[in-house]
Amino acid sequence: MRRYPLYIFDLDGTLYRGSQAIPGAAETLLQLRKTGSQVRFLTNNSSQTPQAQADKLSAMGIQADPSEVLTSGLGTAIYLAERGLNRAFVVGEPGLIAQLESKGVRSVTGGEECDAIVVGICRQFTYDWLNEAMQRIVAGAAFVATNTDATYPMEHGFVPGAGSVVAAVQTCSGRKPVVIGKPNTFLVEMALRLSGTRPENALVVGDRYETDIVSGLDAGCDTLLVLTGVARQAPAGQASAQSLLELLD
């Protein structure tokens, strides 16, 4: 298989499931780095900071630096900061709030004014949060979603993803969100820009066609669908692999 100057890897279902590395992931990335390729990690998971994701990968034997990790939470923080939306009511978890605050976006509580509603994975989601988000969106706050993944893979199956929470807020508010994570090209384009790589010199690798692969294609990159997570077969014409080790062939 062709060698690329830059490989952009999804995480859940591509490099690991839950707390378990997918067989061949560590070996593949080590060999790609040895050939001089850059590696970036790109995830729709908004609940973990880049440092936490890098620590998780390192514990699995996969070399990773926080500067190489781009999350939908970090992308959301950058999106809001660039537009001066510096106060957000967050339907999400502490890791998302930390990423927003790292870019100067303050998390507000009930009764405080806000510029935006940010919705990500939220395993503590309640009716009160749903109502608060709806009321603020109806009153004019921007509606931003970290991602719309319906599920994400764990060691023994799938659990509801951020898209389930986003759908609830969208349904009651009657508003569609700006979506930062894949399939939006925002994160892929960040990875390209920060690594100084042109799209044609990058390969985007992921386990979901409708998010990972579509974002890579729309950004102008080559793509590889791995059948280790969500996807069980590839659409006609889409390059695919049963194992990441096939990248070394």
Side-chain angles (χ1 to χ4, degrees), residues 11-178:
L11 295 181
D12 291 306
T14 301
L15 298 182
Y16 58 68
R17 299 186 198 94
S19 59
Q20 297 178 358
I22 290 174
E27 178 183 347
T28 298
L29 269 69
L30 178 61
Q31 293 303 317
L32 292 177
R33 289 185 187 276
K34 284 184 176 179
T35 65
S37 295
Q38 293 189 73
V39 171
R40 293 293 183 273
F41 305 99
L42 198 160
T43 177
N44 269 359
N45 187 331
S46 64
S47 67
Q48 298 293 318
T49 65
Q51 181 67 63
Q53 290 284 12
D55 290 345
K56 179 175 182 176
L57 288 165
S58 297
M60 296 177 182
I62 300 172
Q63 178 186 341
D65 186 271
S67 65
E68 297 174 325
V69 181
L70 299 175
T71 73
S72 64
L74 179 61
T76 298
I78 292 171
Y79 175 88
L80 294 175
E82 288 178 346
R83 288 157 180 78
L85 303 174
N86 297 319
R87 299 168 300 174
F89 180 81
V90 183
V91 180
E93 302 192 354
L96 174 56
I97 292 172
Q99 291 174 90
L100 295 174
E101 291 180 346
S102 75
K103 299 300 178 182
V105 179
R106 185 170 65 88
S107 173
V108 306
T109 57
E112 295 183 83
E113 293 186 0
C114 72
D115 306 306
I117 305 301
V118 174
V119 182
I121 185 69
C122 185
R123 283 161 286 199
Q124 298 78 38
F125 188 48
T126 67
Y127 184 86
D128 286 343
W129 283 21
L130 177 62
N131 180 53
E132 185 78 18
M134 181 194 77
Q135 300 299 339
R136 289 172 180 269
I137 291 169
V138 170
F143 179 15
V144 182
T146 61
N147 70 90
T148 54
D149 288 357
T151 63
Y152 64 92
M154 297 294 286
E155 294 92 336
H156 305 295
F158 295 87
V159 295
S164 303
V165 182
V166 173
V169 177
Q170 180 175 334
T171 298
C172 64
S173 69
R175 290 264 302 276
K176 291 184 178 181
V178 172

Side-chain angles (χ1 to χ4, degrees), residues 217-232:
L217 293 172
D218 287 350
C221 303
D222 287 348
T223 59
L224 179 71
L225 180 68
V226 288
L227 308 181
T228 54
V230 172
R232 289 293 177 260

